[in-house]
Amino acid sequence: RALSLGGPQADLLLAAHLERRADAARAATGELGPWTRDLVEARGLYETSVAKRPSWPIGYLGVLRTRLKEGDLGPGFDDLYRRAASLGLYEPAAQRGLLDIGLIASPAMDDPGRSAAALVAAAALDQQPRYVLERAAALATMPVPARLLDLPGPGPAVDGPSP
């Protein structure tokens, strides 16, 4: 339905729906199982969004989030993160998503990727200190699978105001 409505965000709306459906299935069963294809399809739609709007960081966040949930931190992940960070460093919703991904993925990133994550954390600490401290504390106490599930998707969790 989202794609039939058209508009510049139709692909993001459908991708977010598919990603949330896969997250709900994982939360209910402890595994993705048949919902893996939803996550793969969501990633493809996020990649389409990036191709259509290469200067908008939210699409990059979707690609990064789905790759992280798939366990794909391989080639290109750090470059995508750095590109998203360069575009969304001072945009609050993008900054929150970048912070979450950076807190989780930075140990697996290369030096430039870790530097970008540190830059995002510093900017977020300056602009959204409460959010940074709450997320860092929450992520430090959760097991890794829960961390991956707790990443916000587009919509109120990412686009809404900071707590």
Side-chain angles (χ1 to χ4, degrees):
R1 181 175 175 232
L3 289 178
S4 68
L5 296 174
Q9 294 185 353
D11 46 359
L12 280 176
L13 293 173
L14 181 56
H17 168 74
L18 293 169
E19 183 181 359
R20 286 184 183 126
R21 191 164 74 174
D23 288 348
R26 180 182 282 163
T29 65
E31 59 185 51
L32 274 172
W35 299 102
T36 300
R37 69 177 137 73
D38 282 348
L39 199 55
V40 169
E41 187 176 349
R43 178 176 167 179
L45 288 165
Y46 286 129
E47 289 170 344
T48 298
S49 172
V50 167
K52 288 180 183 176
R53 291 171 298 285
S55 62
W56 196 45
I58 300 299
Y60 287 92
L61 289 174
V63 175
L64 289 164
R65 225 182 14 260
T66 53
R67 285 188 65 168
L68 188 61
K69 289 175 183 180
E70 293 171 342
D72 180 7
L73 303 180
F77 186 88
D78 295 357
D79 292 336
L80 281 171
Y81 185 86
R82 287 192 300 274
R83 177 71 175 144
S86 73
L87 295 170
L89 186 60
Y90 296 105
E91 197 279 307
Q95 191 180 73
R96 288 189 299 273
L98 287 163
L99 177 72
D100 288 343
I101 292 167
L103 286 171
I104 295 168
S106 63
M109 290 181 178
D110 59 18
D111 286 339
R114 282 191 295 277
S115 294
L119 187 61
V120 166
L125 193 55
D126 182 53
Q127 295 173 7
Q128 305 180 68
R130 181 176 171 188
Y131 181 82
V132 174
L133 296 174
E134 288 172 354
R135 290 307 283 169
L139 290 169
T141 61
M142 285 189 247
V144 173
R147 292 180 189 178
L148 297 178
L149 287 175
D150 198 41
L151 286 172
V158 168
D159 298 334
S162 293

